[in-house]
């Protein structure tokens, strides 16, 4: 926000904001009654498309959405199945997740997809407040050899506020990202695309989860241990 205030050129402002990932936010689908996640890929102006009802919220005037994007055909079919898939996946790893998927057109022979996961904790096991945000952005293109190339950029945000009588107060915040690419035989089956996307997503998120654990949680543990234990034990590997 501070940077955009000192940049006068609107095109440069747009380019900057497109390069910076923000934590996820939720909005309610008043037709369906459920919350869904807001992101650039389901946004049109100040409205966001729900994957449940396929309508934009807050609901605008009909004339305002004459050029809005709505997935059709295979894209709509894949988006519906992907939302079921990402919901089941998130329940395996998170306690209180909200997860959505959005599909969109990119080229005549390709498409894009975005999988989002937000998990929040409040007053559980010493966690005063905790948030996990996963953003997985895919592009799928047919290359010159006739194969499909899948490119994934994954970003994870972590924020933990801890408070307890035995350990006091502590805040842990961090972010990490990973890019991966895979080229596989061409397929026209929506289910095969989803299987390939799901495998790449799980692999990337597992890597980022381990990285955040070792860099932020593990390093914090090492620093705390070094300040609280006797000098002779500070370099003992088994304590880290």
């Amino acid at each position: 926000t501070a940077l955009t205030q000192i940049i006068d050129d609107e095109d440069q402002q747009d380019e900057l904001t497109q390069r910076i990932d923000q934590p996820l936010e939720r909005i309610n689908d008043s037709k369906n009654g459920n919350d869904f996640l807001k992101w650039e890929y389901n946004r049109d102006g100040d409205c966001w498309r729900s994957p449940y009802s396929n309508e934009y919220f807050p609901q605008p005037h009909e004339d305002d959405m004459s050029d809005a994007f709505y997935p059709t055909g295979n894209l709509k079919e894949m988006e519906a199945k992907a939302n079921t898939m990402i919901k089941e996946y998130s329940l395996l790893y998170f306690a209180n997740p909200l997860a959505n998927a959005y599909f969109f057109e990119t080229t005549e022979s390709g498409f894009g997809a975005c999988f989002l996961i937000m998990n929040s904790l409040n007053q559980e096991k010493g966690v005063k407040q905790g948030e996990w945000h996963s953003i997985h952005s895919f592009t799928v293109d047919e290359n010159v050899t006739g194969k499909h190339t899948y490119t994934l950029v994954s970003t994870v945000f972590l924020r933990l506020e801890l408070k307890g009588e035995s350990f006091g107060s502590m805040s842990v915040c961090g972010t990490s990202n990973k890019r991966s690419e895979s080229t596989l035989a061409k397929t026209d089956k929506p289910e095969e695309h989803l299987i390939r996307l799901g495998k790449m997503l799980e692999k990337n998120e597992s890597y980022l989860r381990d990285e955040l654990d070792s860099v932020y949680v593990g390093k914090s543990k090492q620093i705390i241990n070094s300040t609280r234990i006797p000098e002779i034990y500070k370099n003992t590997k088994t304590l880290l």
Side-chain angles (χ1 to χ4, degrees), residues 80-225:
K81 292 181 178 179
N83 271 279
T84 300
M85 182 178 75
I86 194 63
K87 181 179 179 181
E88 294 297 326
Y89 165 82
S90 63
L91 289 172
L92 296 175
Y93 287 95
F94 303 98
N96 186 34
L98 175 59
N100 292 123
Y102 303 101
F103 281 64
F104 47 92
E105 298 173 346
T106 53
T107 63
E108 291 184 2
S109 59
F111 64 90
C114 185
F115 292 76
L116 311 172
I117 302 172
M118 182 172 71
N119 188 64
S120 300
L121 292 176
N122 289 293
Q123 306 296 336
E124 294 184 31
K125 297 181 180 180
V127 178
K128 182 179 179 182
Q129 186 174 4
E131 292 181 358
W132 172 281
H133 303 256
S134 300
I135 302 164
H136 302 278
S137 299
F138 286 93
T139 55
V140 182
D141 293 300
E142 184 178 341
N143 61 28
V144 293
T145 63
K147 296 183 178 181
H148 273 129
T149 298
Y150 301 80
T151 303
L152 168 61
V153 178
S154 300
T155 302
V156 166
F157 296 90
L158 172 68
R159 184 170 68 88
L160 291 173
E161 292 184 18
L162 309 173
K163 188 174 182 180
E165 294 181 359
S166 60
F167 54 83
S169 299
M170 184 175 68
S171 178
V172 178
C173 299
T175 182
S176 186
N177 60 70
K178 178 176 174 57
R179 182 183 185 276
S180 60
E181 186 175 293
S182 179
T183 299
L184 301 169
K186 181 181 177 181
T187 181
D188 296 322
K189 298 179 180 179
E191 294 81 3
E192 184 63 28
H193 281 303
L194 292 177
I195 291 172
R196 295 174 177 181
L197 297 179
K199 289 181 178 180
M200 292 181 67
L201 183 154
E202 186 170 20
K203 185 176 181 180
N204 259 23
E205 189 161 83
S206 295
Y207 172 88
L208 291 172
R209 188 181 296 110
D210 291 341
E211 185 178 63
L212 286 173
D213 178 61
S214 61
V215 173
Y216 293 101
V217 180
K219 191 63 178 179
S220 296
K221 181 179 179 182
Q222 180 182 353
I223 293 170
I224 292 171
N225 281 346

